[in-house]
């Protein structure tokens, strides 16, 4: 169960594109979640009450067999393909808590 934390930073001015692309983004994550491979995934909004205020980016902790497998998956990430993310940082992650 190799885990990876993926921290993504949004380009400024992409909120409308992000909101329009979100359904495609979620379909891919929901498939991983159904396979038990999503530990956590979510957006970092500038204002929790107003999505149109924009986003700092997203954070995901995902289970992939290898970094190479994750990189292949990321190649088809809609937020990357649509130019929403300006930067994607991937690091290995060791989960300590919660147990189980």
């Amino acid at each position: 169960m190799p885990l990876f934390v993926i921290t993504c930073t949004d380009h400024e001015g992409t909120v409308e594109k992000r909101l329009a692309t979100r359904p495609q983004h979620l379909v891919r994550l929901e498939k991983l979640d159904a396979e038990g491979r999503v530990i956590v995934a979510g957006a970092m909004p500038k204002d929790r009450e107003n999505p149109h205020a924009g986003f700092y980016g997203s954070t995901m902790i995902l289970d992939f067999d290898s970094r190479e497998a994750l990189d292949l998956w990321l190649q088809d990430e809609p937020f990357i393909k649509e130019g929403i993310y300006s930067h994607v940082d991937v690091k290995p992650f060791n989960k300590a808590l919660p147990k189980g």
Side-chain angles (χ1 to χ4, degrees):
M1 179 167 115
L3 299 178
F4 298 90
V5 62
I6 302 105
T7 307
C8 309
T9 304
D10 283 19
H11 279 288
E12 287 295 322
T14 58
V15 66
E16 295 305 323
K17 188 187 284 189
R18 178 189 245 273
L19 295 174
T21 306
R22 186 173 185 262
Q24 298 164 31
H25 168 76
L26 288 178
V27 164
R28 297 180 78 242
L29 283 171
E30 288 167 352
K31 181 176 186 276
L32 284 183
D33 189 43
E35 296 168 1
R37 297 168 54 196
V38 176
I39 306 307
V40 67
M44 297 176 288
K46 292 182 178 179
D47 178 346
R48 290 178 193 261
E49 306 301 320
N50 178 12
H52 292 280
F55 295 83
Y56 297 106
S58 304
T59 298
M60 301 171 273
I61 300 176
L62 305 177
D63 179 356
F64 274 86
D65 291 334
S66 66
R67 173 62 194 264
E68 294 78 18
L70 171 60
D71 287 344
L72 283 173
W73 185 82
L74 285 171
Q75 285 179 2
D76 289 326
E77 167 53 46
F79 284 176
I80 293 172
K81 290 173 81 171
E82 292 297 323
I84 294 160
Y85 291 149
S86 65
H87 180 76
V88 177
D89 184 56
V90 177
K91 291 191 171 58
F93 183 78
N94 291 332
K95 180 182 167 204
L97 295 170
K99 297 191 185 276

